[in-house]
């Protein structure tokens, strides 16, 4: 069975994942903990690693079954076909989220167009192409996941 990427309504990732599990579809919504600052307090909250994305594992013929869940918008497509995520990529995401002592990701001497391999963080061991370098952030293209990663630094 393949892993596919389902695009959801904004802020519906956890709800969609819960409902998919209830109807027997194996899914994965990677969650990270962030500290949010309000004017009067700080609070740890759990947010999805990928906004509006949930990974589902099912047979090609069963792909339409996800649309019975409220909040599912469409599948993510890559080069005209439904995006398929390999098992090792899902495992890599799961493994990297187990590491909770990562404080910061920094990169040096990087040029636009360089191909790099990320050494730490949620995307460790992933290959990426540098798309943009600025004074505040890097933008990397993760071709294997079909997404763009923005890394801010201080």
């Amino acid at each position: 069975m393949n892993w596919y990427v389902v695009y959801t309504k904004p802020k519906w990732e956890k709800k969609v994942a819960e409902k998919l599990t209830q109807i027997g579809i194996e899914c994965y919504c990677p969650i990270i903990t962030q500290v949010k600052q309000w004017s009067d307090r700080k609070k740890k909250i759990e947010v999805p690693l990928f906004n509006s994305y949930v990974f589902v594992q099912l047979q090609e013929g069963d792909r339409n079954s996800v649309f019975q869940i409220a909040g599912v918008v469409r599948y993510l497509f890559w080069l005209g076909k439904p995006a398929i995520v390999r098992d090792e990529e899902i495992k890599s995401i799961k493994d990297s989220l187990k590491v909770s002592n990562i404080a910061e990701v920094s990169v040096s001497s990087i040029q636009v167009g360089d191909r790099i391999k990320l050494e730490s963080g949620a995307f460790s061991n992933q290959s990426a192409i540098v798309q943009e370098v600025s004074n505040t952030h890097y933008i990397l293209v993760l071709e294997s996941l079909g997404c763009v990663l923005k890394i801010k630094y201080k």
Side-chain angles (χ1 to χ4, degrees):
M1 287 195 294
N2 291 322
W3 285 96
Y4 297 97
V5 184
V6 172
Y7 186 77
T8 68
K9 290 181 180 179
K11 310 287 186 201
W12 278 62
E13 303 90 345
K14 291 193 277 184
K15 291 178 225 165
V16 166
E18 181 182 318
K19 295 291 185 186
L20 287 168
T21 302
Q22 287 176 0
I23 65 168
I25 296 176
E26 184 172 351
C27 64
Y28 177 54
C29 180
I31 303 291
I32 58 173
T33 302
Q34 289 183 341
V35 177
K36 291 288 186 177
Q37 170 95 37
W38 284 268
S39 60
D40 61 338
R41 67 189 185 286
K42 287 184 181 179
K43 186 177 180 181
K44 286 185 180 180
I45 60 169
E46 291 185 339
V47 295
L49 179 61
F50 302 105
N51 292 331
S52 298
Y53 291 152
V54 174
F55 300 100
V56 295
Q57 186 178 35
L58 36 74
Q59 297 290 340
E60 172 80 27
D62 296 331
R63 284 192 317 119
N64 286 336
S65 60
V66 301
F67 294 111
Q68 60 187 319
I69 302 298
V72 173
V73 176
R74 61 180 171 81
Y75 279 98
L76 180 70
F77 281 75
W78 180 253
L79 300 176
K81 297 179 182 178
I84 295 176
V85 181
R86 297 186 312 251
D87 287 331
E88 53 267 16
E89 292 170 327
I90 296 291
K91 183 183 181 314
S92 175
I93 293 168
K94 288 179 179 180
D95 291 345
S96 63
L97 291 179
K98 290 178 186 174
V99 179
S100 60
N101 61 351
I102 298 170
E104 184 177 326
V105 176
S106 63
V107 184
S108 59
S109 302
I110 300 294
Q111 302 293 323
V112 172
D114 286 351
R115 181 173 293 276
I116 61 170
K117 186 169 186 174
L118 301 175
E119 297 177 351
S120 64
F123 300 99
S124 63
N125 297 322
Q126 294 292 319
S127 177
I129 298 174
V130 179
Q131 186 177 38
E132 180 180 322
V133 178
S134 80
N135 292 337
T136 59
H137 65 273
Y138 294 98
I139 295 183
L140 308 174
V141 177
L142 301 173
E143 290 179 320
S144 63
L145 295 177
C147 67
V148 176
L149 177 65
K150 182 175 182 178
I151 300 176
K152 293 182 183 180
Y153 57 93
K154 297 176 184 178

